[in-house]
Amino acid sequence: MRLIYPVILCGGSGTRLWPRSRKALPKPFLPLVGERTLFEATVRRTIDPEFFASPTVVTGAAHLAHVRDQLAPICAGTTIVEPSAKNTAPAIALAAQSMPRPDALMLVCPSDHYIADVSAFQDAAKRAAALAEQGHMVAFGIAATAPETGFGYIRKGAALEGGYEVERFVEKPDLETAIAFLADGNYSWNGGIFAFRADAFLAELAAHRPAMAEAVRVSVDQGETRGAELYPAAEPFAAIEGDSIDYAVMENTQRAAVVPVSMGWSDIGNWQALREARAGDAQGNRVRGRAELVDCKRVLVETDGPRVSAIGLEDVAIVVDGDEVLVTTMAGTQKVGKLDGAANQ
């Protein structure tokens, strides 16, 4: 099999894990699980010269310094600096348009996900690449372990070698529907990880979002290369109406496939998800920094200095970062990004 070209999408608004994550330093660049940042871990999962080419990182100017600092010690790579944020479809199109060969096998990975089982991820990447080489547009189908209402779902169809055809993509369901999906057994979470040939992706984009495809092409053609960094032209890119890869391509293509995988995946989408990704004590508490917990269960504490003392709490997150303090129930973690402190950084 040919080399796989990792494409790492890197950015974030720094709201969902506020106040630890900030607009200037969002969660990809923080060591939230283990000692490495999520971005560093994402890059390292694709460091194997037998299977992977050097990565292409797509980021904005606001986060370019973090990418430079964290990528260089790991490997050489290419960085595409988006002129503006236009969602995932244009970001991936920039990478596809910039591949060293038209039929390059691309593996698109968000930079802010946690994956516990790297071997399972790499095995799925190889299976996905084999399907992509045949012209399929492949999504990773993450094994659903709970009736989550915050994820999109994929229903698998007819079997393929190494995966399945996609019968349909499903938007985030209500709880009753999610419970039914879990019981059905044919649904998996859509984790936002994809594989396809660059030319196949660009052809699908041209078919379903022709204005976007043309604007990206012009932006890359008129762009400027500085060392290992590509700066697409801002003016044609600014005209793009942003859209996700799911809406622009995956839900429209007739060649969608899914590769099922169980790899200890989390999108670290809120403080509850981060709690579940970390190891806890016998009471399920997770602590970083100075803290004393008495009669507490499943409490997450994250403090960068001040000592946190808590008694008799259950399913609560307490976060201290600089002059900001967040206290929330785990049920309330989905609303953190709507707080004034998070939304108005």
Side-chain angles (χ1 to χ4, degrees), residues 63-151:
H63 302 136
L64 181 57
H66 301 312
V67 169
R68 287 171 174 166
D69 289 345
Q70 297 186 14
L71 180 63
I74 303 173
C75 66
T78 301
T79 301
I80 300 174
V81 185
E82 280 187 292
S84 52
K86 295 291 185 177
N87 213 322
T88 53
I92 295 165
L94 287 174
Q97 197 73 51
S98 308
M99 284 289 113
R101 51 186 291 177
D103 63 347
L105 292 171
M106 297 170 57
L107 176 67
V108 177
C109 304
S111 62
D112 58 353
H113 292 181
Y114 171 69
I115 295 174
D117 190 340
V118 174
S119 294
F121 163 80
Q122 293 174 338
D123 174 70
K126 294 167 192 174
R127 287 185 286 128
L131 286 169
E133 195 156 22
Q134 301 169 28
H136 290 287
M137 312 294 292
V138 188
F140 277 39
I142 311 298
T145 56
E148 291 287 348
T149 59
F151 303 144

Side-chain angles (χ1 to χ4, degrees), residues 7-216:
V7 174
I8 300 173
L9 306 181
C10 206
S13 57
T15 58
R16 293 192 292 174
L17 291 179
W18 181 87
R20 181 71 178 92
S21 173
R22 307 286 184 109
K23 187 176 182 179
L25 189 64
K27 65 174 178 168
F29 307 109
L30 298 171
L32 296 175
V33 185
E35 298 302 313
R36 292 173 178 156
T37 70
L38 295 174
F39 172 71
E40 290 169 337
T42 302
V43 173
R44 288 183 181 277
R45 282 194 289 272
T46 63
I47 300 298
D48 186 339
E50 185 177 351
F51 298 106
F52 296 104
S54 59
T56 296
V57 179
V58 185
T59 192
H63 302 136
L64 181 57
H66 301 312
V67 169
R68 287 171 174 166
D69 289 345
Q70 297 186 14
L71 180 63
I74 303 173
C75 66
T78 301
T79 301
I80 300 174
V81 185
E82 280 187 292
S84 52
K86 295 291 185 177
N87 213 322
T88 53
I92 295 165
L94 287 174
Q97 197 73 51
S98 308
M99 284 289 113
R101 51 186 291 177
D103 63 347
L105 292 171
M106 297 170 57
L107 176 67
V108 177
C109 304
S111 62
D112 58 353
H113 292 181
Y114 171 69
I115 295 174
D117 190 340
V118 174
S119 294
F121 163 80
Q122 293 174 338
D123 174 70
K126 294 167 192 174
R127 287 185 286 128
L131 286 169
E133 195 156 22
Q134 301 169 28
H136 290 287
M137 312 294 292
V138 188
F140 277 39
I142 311 298
T145 56
E148 291 287 348
T149 59
F151 303 144
Y153 285 72
I154 303 169
R155 180 174 172 82
K156 67 183 183 183
L160 300 168
E161 186 173 352
Y164 298 86
E165 294 179 356
V166 170
E167 183 174 305
R168 64 186 177 115
F169 290 92
V170 185
E171 295 300 312
K172 297 174 183 178
D174 59 26
L175 182 58
E176 183 179 353
T177 303
I179 291 171
F181 286 172
L182 194 64
D184 182 281
N186 288 309
Y187 290 85
S188 55
W189 294 331
N190 183 354
I193 305 173
F194 304 97
F196 31 69
R197 291 199 323 260
D199 55 0
F201 175 80
L202 291 173
E204 293 283 354
L205 192 67
H208 304 295
R209 296 290 189 276
M212 181 188 296
E214 178 61 13
V216 168

